[in-house]
């Protein structure tokens, strides 16, 4: 967290503000913006833990699949606009 309490924090805060501005101004918004190496390391740790948890549940998840190719039955649920009511003519 940037508190601004220490001398010399101004340049750090300016760099953080510039990074946030660039992320917001980009064409596609990121879900997270890692500011600094420590933040990136912590996000990496969380991703690794989530990946391990997901991989540990792989076999039980696959054992409950519907028969047939996975993209035919539920592909509409993953499309943009999920939950929106269709427009009526």
């Amino acid at each position: 967290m940037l508190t601004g309490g220490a001398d010399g924090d101004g340049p750090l805060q300016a760099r953080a503000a510039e990074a946030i501005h660039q992320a917001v101004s980009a064409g596609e918004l990121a879900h997270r913006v890692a500011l600094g190496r420590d933040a990136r390391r912590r996000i990496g740790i969380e991703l690794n833990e989530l990946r391990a948890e997901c991989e540990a549940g792989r076999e039980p998840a696959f054992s409950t699949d519907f028969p047939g190719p996975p993209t035919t039955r539920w592909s509409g649920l993953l499309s943009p606009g999920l939950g929106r009511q269709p427009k009526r003519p």
Side-chain angles (χ1 to χ4, degrees):
M1 176 192 271
L2 299 175
T3 61
D7 288 338
D9 276 352
L12 176 64
Q13 291 173 341
R15 288 196 318 261
E18 179 60 27
I20 293 168
H21 181 265
Q22 287 178 3
V24 171
S25 299
E28 188 173 320
L29 292 177
H31 180 71
R32 293 183 181 203
V33 178
L35 299 178
R37 292 176 193 208
D38 190 48
R40 182 156 169 86
R41 181 186 62 80
R42 288 180 186 201
I43 291 171
I45 289 169
E46 286 181 38
L47 286 172
N48 289 338
E49 290 172 354
L50 183 59
R51 187 176 294 113
E53 182 180 325
C54 184
E55 202 53 40
R58 183 175 193 216
E59 291 307 316
F62 287 177
S63 72
T64 60
D65 274 350
F66 285 102
T71 58
T72 59
R73 193 167 191 64
W74 301 104
S75 61
L77 292 177
L78 302 176
S79 63
L82 174 64
R84 294 186 193 152
Q85 295 294 323
K87 291 183 179 180
R88 295 181 185 229

